[in-house]
Amino acid sequence: MSVEQGKNQPYEAYLFVHFTGEHENGEQVYFSVSRDGLHWNDLNDSQPVLQSGIGEKGVRDPFIIRSPLDNKFYIIATDLRIANDKGWDTAQHRGSRSIIVWESPDLVNWSKERSVEMDLPDAGCVWAPESIFDEEAGEHLIFWASMTKEGDQEPKQIIYSSRTKDFISFTKPEKYIERGNHVIDTTIIREGSAYYRYSKDETTKCITVESSDSLSASSFKELHSPVLEGLFGVEGPEVFKFNDRNEWCLMVDQYAAGKGYLPLVTEDLSSGQFRILNAEEYNLGAAKKRHGSFLNLTGAEYEALAAVWGTPGQ
């Protein structure tokens, strides 16, 4: 089912697109599906669905997009493979400035991967690219973290943004979020007329949340969130709405403990209040889930994915 065909269909399931870690084939694109957003089944027998053979020959932080402009799905990802043993210093300061892109009409048939270099010639990397559709402007806002140095200042990770309609041509990048220390892993969700922006902030050492009535860089104001402000050793925030109720799930990657994703839920994004789920309330499946993204699916989309890459436990 294409984006166009799925427009008027209710969402009944979820797709989780992610990587699994710094091991053989871990830094590639994996799919998992769920009926309730909390109990996940790995597709393709917990093996990669998509693999990058260009650039660094590995990808991290895959983000999936449902585009209303051309009725396609896109996956954009960091061009990085730490398993190549180049090390994190090289990855941040002398890494790829490109993103890897796949596209599909139906979530099942995917194009060959392609590489697009962001126009930031002095940047040391381009990490965790994500996108949100700007309905007012009729284009996609894409944003990512890049290690940059200005004058005598120490290099730091800054969130940059660009705009695109086709994930081929992009506008000149602009600064989107800059703080006292590194800021990475930004994600944005829209609810009603408000936008909520979550980022990993190395100044506070936790996930920060901001809100705004527009996507303008200067319009976001920080929200107080006691739970997030007390949750350390996490990164890669991702958020989605449950299909059957007014409740949202915020997932955070427990990178410090090596435990993969942890779900938190809220009934009101504007409150900043979240409840951390107990272990018996969710099951993330066999493969460890590292920084990825979520897509609400129609029933037909779920069935199509399961038909092609389903497992006996599906």
Side-chain angles (χ1 to χ4, degrees):
M1 176 176 288
S2 70
V3 174
E4 181 68 28
Q5 290 171 321
K7 271 185 178 179
N8 299 316
Q9 300 297 314
Y11 292 135
E12 300 176 2
Y14 312 82
L15 172 64
F16 190 175
V17 177
H18 59 91
F19 78 106
T20 61
E22 294 84 24
H23 52 84
E24 185 67 24
N25 287 332
E27 292 162 293
Q28 302 293 350
V29 180
Y30 292 72
F31 284 5
S32 294
V33 291
S34 173
R35 283 292 193 184
D36 66 0
L38 294 176
H39 297 83
W40 296 88
N41 291 308
D42 299 341
L43 295 183
N44 200 31
D45 198 24
S46 300
Q47 296 301 308
V49 169
L50 299 171
Q51 298 193 56
S52 174
I54 60 177
E56 296 289 311
K57 294 183 170 56
V59 291
R60 300 167 67 97
D61 325 315
F63 186 80
I64 188 164
I65 299 139
R66 185 190 293 269
S67 175
L69 294 179
D70 55 12
N71 302 320
K72 291 181 181 179
F73 300 92
Y74 292 88
I75 291 175
I76 56 178
T78 305
D79 180 22
L80 176 60
R81 187 171 186 266
I82 289 296
N84 286 338
D85 294 328
K86 291 185 177 181
W88 284 106
D89 184 74
T90 296
Q92 292 191 79
H93 297 276
R94 296 175 298 281
S96 171
R97 293 188 295 272
S98 296
I99 62 172
I100 304 300
V101 183
W102 287 266
E103 61 182 73
S104 170
D106 55 12
L107 295 174
V108 170
N109 299 286
W110 289 91
S111 68
K112 185 175 177 58
E113 71 275 21
R114 67 173 184 267
S115 177
V116 181
E117 183 170 335
M118 298 293 101
D119 188 11
L120 275 176
D122 296 325
C125 61
V126 168
W127 280 4
E130 294 206 11
S131 179
I132 186 168
F133 186 64
D134 185 338
E135 295 180 21
E136 286 72 24
E139 58 192 2
H140 296 275
L141 176 73
I142 179 174
F143 41 92
W144 66 89
S146 283
M147 181 72 81
T148 55
K149 176 178 173 59
E150 295 183 351
D152 296 329
Q153 296 180 352
E154 286 293 312
K156 66 179 178 181
Q157 293 275 10
I158 296 171
I159 302 295
Y160 285 84
S161 69
S162 176
R163 289 175 176 269
T164 184
K165 291 187 175 182
D166 56 12
F167 293 91
I168 296 173
S169 301
F170 296 83
T171 61
K172 176 70 177 177
E174 300 177 351
K175 284 185 182 179
Y176 197 50
I177 309 174
E178 181 178 9
R179 295 176 184 161
N181 205 334
H182 307 292
V183 57
I184 61 172
D185 295 352
T186 292
T187 193
I188 301 174
I189 189 171
R190 182 172 184 172
E191 170 54 26
S193 61
Y195 294 93
Y196 297 91
R197 188 169 74 178
Y198 301 82
S199 305
K200 171 62 185 301
D201 192 326
E202 291 296 343
T203 302
T204 63
K205 304 295 183 182
C206 63
I207 304 296
T208 59
V209 55
E210 307 161 281
S211 65
S212 172
D213 59 1
S214 82
L215 289 168
S216 169
S218 61
S219 65
F220 282 87
K221 306 298 181 185
E222 189 168 352
L223 285 176
H224 180 49
S225 178
V227 172
L228 295 183
E229 290 160 12
L231 192 60
F232 302 101
V234 299
E235 63 185 15
E238 296 296 331
V239 60
F240 63 91
K241 186 180 184 298
F242 288 106
N243 294 325
D244 59 349
R245 58 192 184 276
N246 285 322
E247 190 172 51
W248 289 260
C249 183
L250 173 67
M251 292 274 203
V252 293
D253 185 347
Q254 303 172 95
Y255 74 95
K259 294 181 178 179
Y261 266 103
L262 172 70
L264 302 83
V265 297
T266 183
E267 295 179 352
D268 182 4
L269 291 174
S270 68
S271 72
Q273 303 296 318
F274 288 90
R275 180 176 70 87
I276 299 175
L277 295 190
N278 298 317
E280 62 271 14
E281 294 181 86
Y282 65 93
N283 186 327
L284 292 177
K288 182 187 293 183
K289 278 42 175 194
R290 298 295 314 282
H291 191 172
S293 59
F294 299 85
L295 185 71
N296 300 73
L297 297 176
T298 66
E301 289 166 348
Y302 174 93
E303 295 297 341
L305 287 165
V308 176
W309 290 299
T311 64
Q314 193 57 44

